Every structure is written in C-alpha cells, then in structure tokens.
C-alpha cells in the first residue's frame, strides 16, 4: 500500500477539526483535543484497491484514545492507478485561530495530534517538516515546541523549535524524514517553557505537518 497512497493537502486541510483548544489556557490546562487516527483500509467497497482510513473526532473523556462514540468524521484515501498524483500533504497538528493556549514554569502542554502515523504510507518520500506559531512573554525565556513520539516515549530527534520573540513567530523544522522511525507511531505536539519561571509561553494559529513526495 505504501507505494500507492497519495494525499492532497486540500483534502487533509478540510478534514481537520478546528477551535479545539481554550482561549488563554495556562499551566498545562487545555480543553478538548481533536484526534486524527490513520489506519489501513483493505480492498473492498470503500476503496477498490485499498487505501487509508482517516477517523476524526474530539477526545471527550481526555484519554488520548478516539473511541467509537467520539468519531465525528470518517474519510477514505484510496490507492490505485486512478488516483491523482499528489506532491504535498498537510496534516494539522494544532489549530487555535480563535485564541491561544499557554503554559509556564515546568508545566508541559501536550496536544495529541496524529494517531497511527506511519511514514512508510507515503511513496517516494522526500521531506517531512512541521511548523508552529509560538511566542514568549519574556524575551529571556524561550517558548519551545516539539514533536513527541508517544509510542516510544521520546522526543523526535531534530524536532525541537524555540523562540524568544514576544510576538508570534512562525517556526519551521528541518527535514525529519530520517528522524521518524520505520514504524507506526502516535505523534503529540508539546509546548513548554525554557526556564522554570512564571512567564507564560504561547501557541496559536495553525501548526502543520508538511509531507512532500517526488513523482
């Protein structure tokens, strides 16, 4: 399947839920998270040649599992010779255009973002980067964002981004293709403060995982 799955950035963008974090949250307290679950879809009525099943919903009981009664949207991305070629896929990790979510001190805000992500589902994979919009209340205390591999309990190498800007700055990672494991993992987005102080750090707007493929 990994050699035929192609996702378009527009398709993914219209799927992901928005506005799932509270305005001005702090000290590690956040509202309901949106979860996106990827799974293999075998050949059948949904996809003639097989493909990927995408389930989306709100984690109502905050257990980081998208349960059957929490699923709000189900979509299928099918493989096969009739699929359009896609060069870029954009998956929303965090969307908070209506406000900001913050933390301070030694608290870490964790946003479950992608469940069952497997880079092997994208053929001829060239690059995987992510972006985030973050700021700090204090220019002497960095706002730090990172991708966390919740399956293997580790921060994904080379994914740590930081800024001391007191205005929102759009930060972007280097290519993470080699840093992502050759297996299915759950990816969380995490926000934390550099120093254990009372200064808040913030994340807002849209954070995206950007996947690019060669023809």
């Amino acid at each position: 399947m990994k050699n035929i799955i192609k996702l378009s950035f527009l398709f993914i963008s219209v799927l992901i839920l928005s506005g799932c974090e509270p305005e001005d949250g702090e000290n590690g307290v956040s509202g309901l998270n949106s979860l996106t679950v990827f799974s293999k879809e075998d050949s059948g009525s949904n996809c003639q040649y097989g493909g990927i099943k995408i389930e989306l919903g709100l984690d109502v009981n905050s257990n980081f599992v998208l349960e059957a009664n929490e699923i709000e949207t189900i979509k299928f991305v099918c493989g096969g010779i009739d699929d359009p070629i896609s060069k870029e896929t954009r998956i929303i990790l965090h969307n908070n255009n209506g406000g900001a979510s913050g933390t301070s001190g030694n608290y870490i805000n964790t946003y479950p973002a992608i469940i069952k992500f497997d880079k092997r589902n994208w053929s001829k994979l060239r690059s995987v980067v992510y972006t985030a919009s973050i700021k700090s209340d204090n220019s002497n205390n960095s706002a730090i964002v990172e991708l966390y591999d919740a399956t293997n309990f580790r921060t994904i190498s080379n994914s740590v981004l930081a800024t001391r800007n007191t205005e929102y700055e759009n930060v972007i990672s280097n290519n993470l293709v080699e840093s992502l494991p050759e297996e299915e993992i759950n990816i969380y987005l995490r926000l934390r403060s550099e120093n254990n102080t009372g200064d808040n750090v913030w994340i807002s707007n849209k954070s995206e995982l950007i996947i690019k493929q060669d023809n």
Side-chain angles (χ1 to χ4, degrees):
M1 180 181 71
K2 66 180 180 180
N3 292 323
I4 61 176
I5 299 304
K6 309 284 187 177
L7 304 180
S8 71
F9 77 92
L10 179 60
F11 178 82
I12 290 296
S13 296
V14 300
L15 288 179
I16 310 301
L17 302 177
S18 62
C20 296
E21 300 298 333
E23 292 191 7
D24 300 332
E26 58 182 279
N27 293 342
V29 178
S30 59
L32 298 180
N33 290 299
S34 62
L35 295 181
T36 305
V37 179
F38 288 74
S39 59
K40 180 181 177 181
E41 180 68 17
D42 293 328
S43 300
S45 59
N46 294 317
C47 289
Q48 181 178 357
Y49 302 104
I52 292 177
K53 180 180 181 181
I54 305 173
E55 299 170 294
L56 303 102
L58 290 177
D59 186 16
V60 176
N61 58 6
S62 300
N63 66 349
F64 296 165
V65 176
L66 187 62
E67 298 172 353
N69 65 324
E70 297 172 333
I71 296 172
E72 297 183 354
T73 303
I74 298 176
K75 297 290 183 180
F76 299 92
V77 180
C78 299
I81 58 176
D82 294 327
D83 276 0
I85 293 176
S86 172
K87 295 279 290 186
E88 184 175 284
T89 301
R90 289 176 178 252
I91 302 174
I92 296 178
L93 302 171
H94 175 267
N95 194 3
N96 202 18
N97 290 321
S101 181
T103 189
S104 64
N106 58 3
Y107 293 98
I108 297 176
N109 269 16
T110 300
Y111 312 97
I114 309 176
I115 309 302
K116 297 184 179 180
F117 176 85
D118 193 334
K119 72 176 184 181
R120 296 171 299 179
N121 286 334
W122 281 266
S123 62
K124 298 182 181 179
L125 188 60
R126 185 175 74 213
S127 69
V128 178
V129 302
Y130 85 100
T131 66
S133 181
I134 56 176
K135 73 171 185 176
S136 175
D137 283 348
N138 186 339
S139 60
N140 293 316
N141 183 35
S142 292
I144 299 172
V145 67
E146 61 195 8
L147 296 184
Y148 185 74
D149 176 354
T151 301
N152 298 302
F153 307 104
R154 65 179 183 86
T155 298
I156 295 174
S157 299
N158 303 313
S159 73
V160 178
L161 304 175
T163 183
R164 292 192 174 188
N165 202 330
T166 56
E167 301 293 333
Y168 281 109
E169 178 180 347
N170 190 46
V171 292
I172 185 168
S173 72
N174 292 323
N175 190 353
L176 301 174
V177 167
E178 299 301 323
S179 300
L180 292 165
E182 298 280 343
E183 63 177 317
E184 183 181 273
I185 61 172
N186 297 335
I187 297 177
Y188 293 178
L189 181 68
R190 303 206 306 181
L191 174 71
R192 57 187 173 89
S193 175
E194 176 188 18
N195 300 315
N196 187 11
T197 69
D199 302 310
N200 286 315
V201 295
W202 304 94
I203 186 169
S204 188
N205 303 316
K206 186 186 296 182
S207 301
E208 295 180 303
L209 192 73
I210 304 171
I211 302 168
K212 293 187 177 181
Q213 302 163 265
D214 291 323
N215 284 329

